Amino acid sequence: MTIHNSYRIKEEILIPPYEGRSALIKAGEELVIIDVEGKQVGDFVCFSLQDPDEHVSPVHMRASLSSISLKTGDLLYSNRRRPLMQLVQDTVGKHDFFFPACDYYRYKEDFGLEDHPNCHDNLKEALAYYSLGHVHVPDPINWFMNNVLDENGDYVICEPLSKPGDFVRLKALEDVIVACSACSQDLAPVNGFHVTGLKLQILNKART
């Protein structure tokens, strides 16, 4: 990824496969979510630092954007219909903000597994770093997830289009706490049946 010369990398955070990480992004800073090896979905949530009861809400985003797809320039609206972040760069162009995070019940009910890693728990654990482990985990934006609609209007989950090094870049419009999980789904095409890691970069304005 080429970083514009007005920004510098403030911090890098590696997200191992099947795990989640969190970060504080200050107003004006940017967050880059990088698909390191390709075909890896990142479940992403975002909370207002000032009031964690306010969070990015996909259902409100769909209403405010009047769209079911995400495009460069789109705002990430909260459950109070305010923008908390903005999508400023995207090398893939295909993401999901309909599906909830996979959870214990997804693997138990659909696959008969009791102890499979899941994004809900990954996000909750990651948020605990900022003392937000008690909050309800909202529906995420699933970066790089590739769902298509068939002729009946039903969802078909396909492998992601993202290649190694592809990324999305988000600008914080106010101070926010974010968490991202390297999606744990290895029993469906969500991650090409192979879970890999992600990388977060926090960028801020370079001093002149």
Side-chain angles (χ1 to χ4, degrees), residues 34-41 92 144 159-166 190-192 194-198:
I34 302 170
D35 187 352
V36 179
E37 297 185 36
K39 295 187 179 183
Q40 176 60 48
V41 171
V92 179
F144 315 124
E159 293 188 3
L161 302 177
S162 52
K163 302 179 296 297
D166 273 333
V190 176
N191 302 300
H194 178 57
V195 176
T196 56
L198 298 169

Side-chain angles (χ1 to χ4, degrees), residues 86-107:
Q86 183 177 25
L87 177 60
V88 296
Q89 192 175 2
D90 178 5
T91 65
V92 179
K94 190 69 170 68
H95 314 279
D96 167 78
F97 59 134
F98 271 87
F99 277 70
C102 61
D103 52 26
Y104 165 80
Y105 301 100
R106 164 70 162 145
Y107 295 103

Side-chain angles (χ1 to χ4, degrees), residues 18 76 96 107 119:
Y18 299 100
L76 276 54
D96 167 78
Y107 295 103
C119 286

Side-chain angles (χ1 to χ4, degrees), residues 111-124:
F111 299 102
L113 300 175
E114 290 277 357
D115 57 356
H116 195 284
N118 66 81
C119 286
H120 176 274
D121 291 350
N122 291 345
L123 292 170
K124 200 168 187 66

